[in-house]
Each structure stands twice: as C-alpha cells, then as structure tokens.
Amino acid sequence: MTIDPVLIDVPGRLDGERTVLLAPHAGLGAEMAVVIGQSLSHLRPWMPWAQEAPTAEAAELVVRRMQADFIARRDLCFQIYARRADGSPGRLLGGTGLHRIDWAVRRFEIGYWIRPEAAGQGHVSEAVRLLTALAFGLLAARRVEIRCDPRNLKSRAVAERCGFELEGVLRNNALGVDGAPRDTAVYARIAG
C-alpha cells in the first residue's frame, strides 16, 4: 500500500554546519522581495521568475503558495539562511527545494539560487547535500536530478561537487528567459 505523501512528516528545518534551510512561512514576502530585487542581475540570465523585482505583496503571495504546496507535498521549497554561531538562522541568502516531484517513481529535482554576495561560499552545495540526504533518506528517492542551462557553469559546478553525474544535454528542450530555444544539462544521482 502506498502512503499519501501528505502523511509524510517532512521536516520544516534542515541544519548544516554553516547553513539552515527553512520551509516557507507567511510573513516572509517583504524580505524575499528585497533579496530577489538585490539579486536580479545575478538571476536574470537563468531564472524566468527573476526578470523584475517583485513587490512585497507579490512575493508574499508566492511564499504563501509555496507554503501551501509544502503542506500538500506538491513542491518542497526551502529558504537558505546563513547559520549563526548559536545555530539559529541568520541572513536570508536564497532559495532551494525539491521540485517536479513524482511520488510514484520517487523522483525529485533540486533547484537553487543564492544572492550574489553569498555565492562561492559553499551555502548552495551544503543545501544540495542536505536536500539529497532528505530525498534518499526519509523520502526514499530512487532518483534525484539537477537540471540547468549548460552555460550556467556555477550551477553545473555545484551539481558536480555534490556527486551528481551528467547524464546528457537535452537540446532545444526548453525556452530561455529570452524566449529562444535552449538546452538543458541533466545531472542525476540514483538510489544505491
């Protein structure tokens, strides 16, 4: 018998050595809007949702939808925070999560973004490792993917650093932020 994913107790907090991941919660929108606005030049080439700075209200709406999707187990978004010395979450750095979930197959895709001044400090790699452990542990994943534009060398480096293998490049399988066809590099890890 298959358990309904809503009954899986997915933790709303994951702790790394330098990073804390927290599930979305109401009231986070204004802060998210600021961080996204400060990160636009960094995100714009890769993220269709990051073409213009959101208002606090628009970001709050997105956060609440992410919270609802987390509860329903449709999408498991987390915000990335720097971890303070006492273990509490500090500065909001970006977002990550387990997306495009197929519960029957137990397949998940990890996505991530980070504010520019926090890039290159290991927070994204730590977040990916935390989510990979959650997926293959509690969530009994058979497959975890990272997909990115092949030109996004920093994103590709994270996947490779975290032990994901390049399975191939899908040619012209998506539209880029400019509406032109683009390729997608597919990295994966499988159970066992």
Side-chain angles (χ1 to χ4, degrees), residues 39-150:
S39 305
L40 281 180
S41 63
H42 183 69
L43 299 174
R44 196 174 276 133
W46 318 114
M47 306 291 189
W49 54 265
Q51 299 307 297
E52 294 184 20
T55 64
E57 183 179 5
E60 182 65 23
L61 181 61
V62 169
V63 167
R64 289 180 187 219
R65 285 187 176 142
M66 289 190 308
Q67 184 180 25
D69 286 342
F70 191 98
I71 292 165
R73 306 300 186 242
R74 289 185 295 260
D75 196 26
L76 301 174
C77 291
F78 290 87
Q79 275 71 53
I80 304 171
Y81 292 87
R83 182 183 171 106
R84 292 187 177 123
D86 67 1
S88 66
R91 188 169 190 220
L92 176 61
L93 303 178
T96 189
L98 295 170
H99 313 298
R100 293 176 189 83
I101 298 170
D102 183 329
W103 287 107
V105 175
R106 293 289 175 148
R107 182 182 67 231
F108 305 85
E109 180 182 329
I110 297 176
Y112 41 82
W113 66 274
I114 193 93
R115 64 192 313 159
E117 63 270 19
Q121 298 176 19
H123 294 288
V124 173
S125 293
E126 188 169 56
V128 168
R129 288 185 187 103
L130 289 167
L131 290 174
T132 302
L134 173 66
F136 285 118
L138 177 68
L139 304 181
R142 291 188 178 103
R143 177 180 177 86
V144 179
E145 297 177 348
I146 294 175
R147 292 174 175 241
C148 61
D149 187 307

Side-chain angles (χ1 to χ4, degrees), residues 2-13:
T2 304
I3 187 169
D4 187 312
V6 172
L7 296 174
I8 300 171
D9 289 326
V10 179
R13 177 179 171 138

